[in-house]
Amino acid sequence: MSAATLAAYTTSTGEAFQFWVLGTVAVIGALATILMKKAMHSALSLAGTMIILAVFYLANGAYFLGIVQIVVYTGAIMMLFLFIVMLVGVTAADSLKETIKGQRWWAAACGLGFGILLIAGIGQASLTEFNGLGAANGAYGGNVEGLAALIFTKYVFAFEITGALLITAAVGAMVLTHRERTERARTQRELAEQRVREGKHVPPLPAPGVYARHNAVDIAGLLPDGTPAELTVMQTLRKRGQIRDVSGEAMADLKALEQRSEERLGRDRQAAGDRDEEEASR
């Protein structure tokens, strides 16, 4: 057998190490995609699995598929999905509501059936002959050229249908995030008059961290008497309990600053008195 044929049937140590390490990470990412409670974490796990698949494509000489896997699937479709999740909002409570009766059992049955078919197909596959990409790439002068010839000649109709589906998905995302206003938006004057009638805080709310020697949004500002002002921290952080109480620390720093100021003023007064006495003695 020739050296090229032997290379096709053998696997180098580096390639085997790459497969087992990255393959394990890819499987973990795939499991995390379906086991994570938050949709954002599932999407990020799926993106990691797609990137590893792209590395496998590149390692096997399928350069076009590897780049498309990163640019199109990971860089475009998954980012579009992440933006939809951030705009529409998906919480863990949504997954607890059954919108379709028995959908979890149907999903489990379909997954089990697909797994059985996949295992049976791999078990019946014939691995005695290795069909590499050499002949396919050589027919058109390269991997990218060969795929371009197939996409824009034999499979051009399927390619255009796929593009139309992606455009439809983008339009659907915009429709889901759009909200029709059912009433006229109130002006700033009307909002101010409403605050006055309801007896709410009329002037603008104070900034966080005022008199607290810190300007973080999660630190309440201090009133002149040292008590924290509730209005300086947004309501969302108050409900989450993410407010850092630094009132005691701020008061201690303030006392230390006053003490240092008094000591410095006392030294200055004493030095001025010594100079006066010296000049009077002269």
Side-chain angles (χ1 to χ4, degrees):
M1 299 179 69
S2 63
T5 306
L6 290 174
Y9 282 93
T10 59
T11 302
S12 63
T13 305
E15 186 178 358
F17 178 79
Q18 169 194 298
F19 174 78
W20 288 110
V21 173
L22 295 182
T24 304
V25 177
V27 172
I28 294 175
L31 293 175
T33 302
I34 61 176
L35 296 178
M36 286 290 182
K37 294 182 179 180
K38 294 184 178 181
M40 188 70 66
H41 296 166
S42 297
L44 293 176
S45 300
L46 183 57
T49 302
M50 287 184 174
I51 293 176
I52 294 177
L53 292 179
V55 174
F56 287 156
Y57 291 146
L58 295 174
N60 286 277
Y63 305 113
F64 181 80
L65 289 180
I67 298 301
V68 168
Q69 181 76 18
I70 295 176
V71 175
V72 177
Y73 286 96
T74 308
I77 297 178
M78 286 307 303
M79 293 304 105
L80 178 62
F81 179 76
L82 288 176
F83 285 137
I84 293 173
V85 170
M86 288 187 292
L87 291 174
V88 178
V90 179
T91 61
D94 297 334
S95 61
L96 300 177
K97 300 178 182 178
E98 288 281 357
T99 55
I100 302 176
K101 296 282 185 172
Q103 62 176 346
R104 297 180 184 273
W105 292 104
W106 281 106
C110 291
L112 181 61
F114 178 75
I116 293 175
L117 291 176
L118 187 63
I119 294 173
I122 295 176
Q124 295 296 326
S126 177
L127 301 178
T128 57
E129 297 292 335
F130 183 83
N131 297 323
L133 296 175
N137 294 339
Y140 296 95
N143 178 259
V144 178
E145 292 82 353
L147 284 173
L150 291 176
I151 289 175
F152 293 106
T153 56
K154 184 177 181 180
Y155 300 105
V156 63
F157 184 72
F159 182 73
E160 295 296 334
I161 291 297
T162 304
L165 289 176
L166 292 177
I167 295 175
T168 305
V171 174
M174 291 187 291
V175 171
L176 288 174
T177 56
H178 179 70
R179 294 291 183 271
E180 290 288 345
R181 185 176 292 276
T182 57
E183 58 183 9
R184 183 182 64 85
R186 289 175 293 179
T187 62
Q188 293 292 334
R189 181 182 181 84
E190 292 174 349
L191 292 175
E193 292 176 352
Q194 181 182 0
R195 288 198 299 267
V196 173
R197 286 194 300 269
E198 294 177 355
K200 293 183 177 180
H201 197 276
V202 179
L205 297 178
V210 179
Y211 301 119
R213 304 181 62 81
H214 205 295
N215 58 353
V217 295
D218 59 344
I219 294 181
L222 300 181
L223 297 174
D225 59 352
T227 58
E230 296 292 337
L231 295 177
T232 57
V233 181
M234 65 177 62
Q235 186 178 2
T236 304
L237 295 179
R238 289 203 300 268
K239 289 183 178 180
R240 293 177 179 176
Q242 297 178 344
I243 303 176
R244 288 188 289 171
D245 184 12
V246 295
S247 57
E249 179 183 354
M251 293 302 295
D253 293 341
L254 183 59
K255 290 180 179 179
L257 179 62
E258 292 176 351
Q259 184 177 0
R260 289 196 299 268
S261 300
E262 290 178 357
E263 292 176 356
R264 182 178 300 174
L265 291 175
R267 289 196 299 267
D268 293 341
R269 292 194 188 98
Q270 184 177 2
D274 294 340
R275 285 196 300 268
D276 294 340
E277 291 179 359
E278 185 177 357
E279 291 176 357
S281 63
R282 288 179 183 176

